[in-house]
Amino acid sequence: MKFWQERPAILQGGTCKMSKELVFGHQSPDTDAITAAIAYSYYQNQLGYETEPVALGEPNDETRYALDHFNMKAPRVVKTVANEVDKVMLVDHNEPQQSAPDIDKVTVTHVVDHHRIANFNTAQPLYYTARPYGCVSTILTEMFQQKHIDIPANLAGMMLSAIISDTLLLKSPTTTDHDREAVKYLAKVANVDYEEYGLAMLKAGTNIAKRSDMDIVEGDAKSFTLGGKSVRIGQVNTVDLDDVFARQADLEKTMHSEMDKNNYDLFILIVTNILNSDSDLLVTGEPTDVVEKAFGKKLSDQHRMNLPGVVSRKKQVVPPLTDAFEG
Ligand code: MN
Ligand code: MN
């Protein structure tokens, strides 16, 4: 076959045909991971790429509430990606241990993220957009605006939901003016009262009684390598800490079995009260003295530590732990 016969689109004056890419967020996806994949895929398709948003897990209760509210479909769930495509775009993460298990077998062409960059290497140059905002959906809102691409109302509702989720209704210390501006803009496009809707959405994600021990422990967990140790950090939102700690023994059992199965050294569950913005840590494994050093506090006999005003894993838990492990 001759060169030109392989590329009919060029001869017809159309756009050059590119192979499809998958767009996805981190494992144990939260509302931002799911929404950013949908939004970034839509954005790239408007610019002529062929992409599909997918997810590395099922949406959680909060995300489901948002998808239902705005009449959107959850992205297809995939376990691996190299069996389908050669190229991928990452949103809401970059660390390989939070990504698809076969991420090393594909080329990452684009990243849009708001986390620390760690253990991330590529063989090829790429588009990498990192901004220290409260949410990827805020970065994407600005990217849509810069390219003058309209955000459909239901997608705007999802992006609004993601910002509310990541910033706990703009109360987390990760919140920036960019997030506040994006919320105002998206609420107008989606035509919702964001405070009323946002609290209802956050509460929909806190139905502890309905959730299994595994789901509470692992539902939002992420892995970090800190000072050579494998550290697993989960987070669960609640409107009453007692709803979670009434099940502490069972939760610890689940944390221990996950540690054994996956060779984690340390497992920390952050239990966050979304109404008063406080958290209690539940800590299993070792080294616990490093956790105490990180927060300048002793763990209770119950393996717990109360941290008033702490709601952000990314900004208030991982950095002090990193300092304590590596400092
Ligand atoms: Mn996320
Ligand atoms: Mn995020």
Side-chain angles (χ1 to χ4, degrees), residues 32 92 114-115 166:
D32 192 31
D92 201 31
H114 67 136
H115 294 90
D166 268 12

Side-chain angles (χ1 to χ4, degrees), residues 69-82:
H69 189 94
F70 294 106
N71 216 348
M72 297 273 281
K73 248 178 56 197
R76 180 167 66 91
V77 174
V78 298
K79 288 203 160 61
T80 55
V81 292

Side-chain angles (χ1 to χ4, degrees), residues 54-75:
V54 291
L56 301 180
E58 297 290 342
N60 62 32
D61 287 346
E62 178 197 277
T63 312
R64 241 177 238 295
Y65 178 90
L67 288 165
D68 287 348
H69 189 94
F70 294 106
N71 216 348
M72 297 273 281
K73 248 178 56 197

Side-chain angles (χ1 to χ4, degrees), residues 217-235:
V217 164
E218 273 292 314
D220 185 41
K222 290 181 180 177
S223 289
F224 299 88
T225 308
L226 304 175
K229 298 281 182 193
S230 170
V231 181
R232 189 78 168 160
I233 307 178
Q235 183 165 26

Side-chain angles (χ1 to χ4, degrees), residues 163-165 167-172 175 194-195 198-199 202:
I163 303 173
I164 288 165
S165 171
T167 65
L168 287 181
L169 251 174
L170 304 176
K171 282 190 297 194
S172 164
T175 310
Y194 77 86
E195 279 177 325
L199 196 57
L202 288 174

